Structure formats: structure tokens, C-alpha cells
Amino acid sequence: MNIKTVFSFWSAVSFIFLIGCTTISREKTPEKPNVVLIYIDDLGYGDVSCYGATKMSTPNVDRLAQEGIRFTNGYCSSATCTPSRFSMLTGKYAFRQKDTGIAPGDASMIIDPEHTTIADIFQKAGYKTGVVGKWHLGLGGSEGPDWNGDIYPGPREIGFDYSFLIPATGDRVPCVFVENQRVSGLDPADPIQVSFKEKIGNEPTGLEHPEMLKQMWSHGHNCTIINGISRIGYMSGGKNARWVDEDIADVLTGKALGFIEKHQKEPFFLYFSTHDIHVPRMPHSRFQGKSGLGYRGDAILQMDWCVGQVLDKLEKLGLKENTIVIFSSDNGPVLDDGYYDEAVTKLNGHTPSGPLRGGKYSAFDAGTRVPFLVSWPGVIEPKVSPTIVSQLDLMASFARMLNVPLSGNDAPDSFNTLDVFLGKSDKNRDHIIEQALPTLSVIKDNWKYIEPNNGPKMTNPFVNIELGNDRKPQLYNLKDDIGETNNLAENYPEKVKELAGLLQKIREDGRSR
Ligand code: NG6
Ligand code: CA
């Protein structure tokens, strides 16, 4: 061997050694990464720039997309909030349990504490668990929540160590936060009373006093005026505890960051569920007028800021490489959902549903196909993936990752798709069911079948969304026809029969896993 050969031999050895080290470090993934699940309300498939929005930009959400996997076929399980959240937390389709439609503001807790939830899985694996933000899954026992006392069952009874909640929605009373088991900042001398049936107390309503409003209601939403905005339902008392809509994003983000900071030295699971971009859209003055698209666009900018705050905090604490961040939405987009907030008049060519048909409430795909990002810097290789993923599968996937066994009855519709979430596999879920009550649809091998039903074709004219209902069966080929414009049911009767049969079987079996 001459000098040159010896040299290149050793260069080759050290090169191989180096490659080996990089591979090893990539594979030496932390066993218990933190998980932050950022869940946006009513954000559409086309509402962020990494999914094609051009009229405004969402740099922080885009940052997540650049660092992780951007799924182009990511689904929540329902076209409204409560059933989507119910399914994500329990791994069970909401249509299997009655009263899982949009929960009233004083609903009892709809997740039975007997259910194993995704939070239980993390707790069993030794994580600290927290939920900050919109809940909308009911609170309290059969009598509903006791706003002036201890409020339980609630998140604590289903696996969350810490909670800071908007109990139902921003547009429903009571307009107060619930921290753990108590209304935050409540003065016992000024108790809260709530009714969804008749007027309570003597505060003005939006119906009687529209001149007092800073944002006018368009349909519904005309009961008690809180902070210049009338709501669904009547409330009295609790004056010190009432939120200021303009500050909600700051308050929730502060609580989320506080939770991360507090638990930085131990594994944690944080379900951060923003109020944005649900109605009433009343962003902080920092964001008002900034998008040029009215308050809906401004709320998107505010939501993006919240995401940035979380990412910055993780980075600052040195947790970036040890934290999986998931970003998604609970249902598709809506413009007028009850208030004149210029979402319609200042839309300016923005397309909240992207190329999809329908929106919130709809059986068409825009109801449930939503932005879906998963990032884990240093472990997940960034990419765009067309593989179908479902929020339902987070539970079984994390159970697998953490080696927490699921019993036969747990998470009956949640599949372990961990390798897909981590970018190691492109294997589609066999099928997926979408719910836009009363209608169910099923997607399998690019075919989407919407079962026939008598529901209306459209929402009310304010909301103005096609619901996807039809008395005849509908069959679309999503690969060739992403906008669901060409009903092929009559051309492919066998396909219709097969998918209707699958839907029927999944309904009857009570489980699909
Ligand atoms: C509807 C409300 C709507 C919104 C929705 C729940 C009316 C007329 N409409 O009943 O404004 O609050 O419920 O949205 O009251 S969700 O995203 O939480 O499912
Ligand atoms: Ca929602």
C-alpha cells in the first residue's frame, strides 16, 4: 500500500464512521418526547399560507410545516367541534354515543370518566398533562356544571393534571375561564347564573339593545351582552371573572407557556386549544386591521402568533428537539357564523376551503379535511405527505410509542399509525369515516361515499355553506375530482354497495380497530 492508498483507506473509514454516527444520533430518539397538540377552531384547509393561502401569511405555522410533515390528506372526524374533540380524545367515533353533537353551554361532561383517553395514556406513561383553551365537551355531572362551586367531573377526571378552559365556546355564556375545578377570579359575593332558556338578571341583550354592541349579531347570538358582544345564552353575575375577548389569545398563550415552563424538566403533554378563529372574532388591537381581510383574517394572524410563541418557548428552553408538535383544526371554515365581522365583505378573494367543497357543518370534504402538521426536529424528516391521517389515530399511535397497552374496549376506532406520523411509512389507513350529522361518509381507496339522507342542501343563508346532503347516494373520486363536483354513484353501483356496506358494518360492530 502506498501512502495515497493508506490515506484514502482511512478517509473512507472515517467517512463511514461519521455516517454511522449521524445515523445513530438520528435513531437515538428520546423515549419520552414532549407532545404539544395545537388545536385550532374552525380553521379551513386553505386558511394558512403553507396550504396555499396567498392573501395573508402565517409564518409560524409555515415554520412548523417546513420543519415537519405537512399532510395533504389530514382529517378531523367531524364537521363540528364537540364530536371532533370527543373522537380525538377518546379514539372513538362520536356517532357511537348520543348527545355528542354541538354541546350546549351548560352541558354535563360528555366523556365518561370510565373512558380511557389520550390524556390517560400520557399519564400512564409518566407525563404531566395539561389542557389550555376551548373545551366544549361539557362539564359536571348530570346536573351540569356548578359555576359557583367545584366543577367536576372535568378534564381532571379524564387524565389532565392541569386545565385552564373556555368551558364551551367564546360565543356561549358563561364568558369566564375555568382553572382546574373553579371559575377563575370569581367573587363569591357575585355568583354566576346561566340560562339558555329564559332571560336571567337585568343586563341588556343584543336583541333589545343592538345600539350597545361593538359587533352586531347576524343570526342567533342575541342574548346577554358581555364586553359589547351579545352571546348565545343569558348570564348574570361573575363580573370580575368575565373575560375580555381582545385578551383571550394572550391569556391562553400565557397559560400554555407557563405549563411548558413549569414542566420543562419532565415529559409533558399539552393540548393547547385556541379560541381563534371561532366567533366572536375580536382579536387584540395588535392584530386588528392587519390582514386586510377583516377580523377573521386578523384572528388567523393572531393564531399564528400564538403558534410562534409556543415554538419560541420550546426553542428557548432547549426543548425543540425533544418535542413533537402537532397542529390541526377541529372542523372546516365558516365566514358568517353569527356575527357581522366583515369575514364575508372583506374576503378579498381568499379561499378558506382551498380547492375543497363545502365548509364547517358540511359532509363535503372541506368540513373535515384540515391542515395537519407534525414536527419533531431532528427525528422527523421534513416532507409533504399525501398519506391519509386522522386525528382519531393520535391516541393509539401515542399508546404504541409509549408502550401503554390499550384494552379491548379502549379507543375502538383509533389505529396505530405512528410510523406515518413520524414519516417512516406511507401506508394509508384502510378507510376513514367523516361525520356531518346526521350524515356519515366513508373514504376508501380515493373513493368517497356520502350516504343518502333527507337533510337540507344548505345551511341558513347567513352561513351559506353547502351541506353535502342529498336524497340520492353520492360517490366521488377524490383523486380526479378533489372538489366533489361529479357524482359517479350511478356509474359505479358496485362501489356504492361496497362502501355503504362498510359503513353499515362499522356502525353495527361498535368498533373499527
Ligand atoms: C352553532 C352556532 C355557531 C357556533 C356553533 C358551534 C348559532 C346560530 N350558531 O349553533 O355560531 O357557535 O354552534 O361551533 O347559534 S363549534 O365550532 O364549536 O362546533
Ligand atoms: Ca370548531
Side-chain angles (χ1 to χ4, degrees), residues 36 68 99 108 118 131 163 180 212 229 255 285 308 326 329 332 369 374-375 384 406 447 455 467-468:
V36 179
D99 295 331
S108 310
I118 191 167
V131 48
S163 56
N180 295 320
M212 294 176 72
I229 301 167
K255 294 290 175 182
S285 57
I326 299 157
S329 173
R369 204 198 291 193
V374 181
S375 106
V384 178
L406 289 174
W447 290 101
L467 287 169

Side-chain angles (χ1 to χ4, degrees), residues 41-42 80-81 85 134 278 330-331 360:
D41 203 347
D42 296 1
T80 51
C81 164
R85 288 164 199 254
K134 179 181 180 177
H278 198 275
D330 68 338
N331 52 251
K360 181 175 181 177

Side-chain angles (χ1 to χ4, degrees), residues 189-266:
D190 182 26
I192 294 173
Q193 272 190 292
V194 163
S195 168
F196 289 86
K197 291 197 188 81
E198 70 243 325
K199 190 171 171 184
I200 264 189
N202 45 24
E203 287 179 63
T205 65
L207 185 64
E208 298 157 344
H209 289 286
E211 78 287 353
M212 294 176 72
L213 299 173
K214 62 182 169 196
Q215 188 171 90
M216 181 60 189
W217 50 276
S218 62
H219 59 111
H221 303 91
N222 56 16
C223 308
T224 306
I225 301 176
I226 314 275
N227 186 33
I229 301 167
S230 52
R231 317 277 166 161
I232 302 174
Y234 302 95
M235 112 173 245
S236 74
K239 288 218 159 116
N240 285 343
R242 295 181 185 184
W243 66 55
V244 175
D245 301 77
E246 290 84 339
D247 296 338
I248 291 179
D250 286 351
V251 172
L252 297 183
T253 304
K255 294 290 175 182
L257 300 187
F259 178 85
I260 294 174
E261 201 148 297
K262 181 161 178 204
H263 299 294
Q264 58 179 295
K265 298 252 168 347
E266 54 197 333

Side-chain angles (χ1 to χ4, degrees), residues 254-300:
K255 294 290 175 182
L257 300 187
F259 178 85
I260 294 174
E261 201 148 297
K262 181 161 178 204
H263 299 294
Q264 58 179 295
K265 298 252 168 347
E266 54 197 333
F268 61 80
F269 166 59
L270 171 64
Y271 168 35
F272 179 28
S273 161
T274 65
H275 158 68
D276 290 316
I277 61 168
H278 198 275
V279 298
R281 303 176 187 118
M282 186 53 65
H284 192 271
S285 57
R286 303 196 298 283
F287 300 100
Q288 290 185 9
K290 292 290 152 56
S291 67
L293 305 184
Y295 283 173
R296 185 175 184 277
D298 300 341
I300 292 177

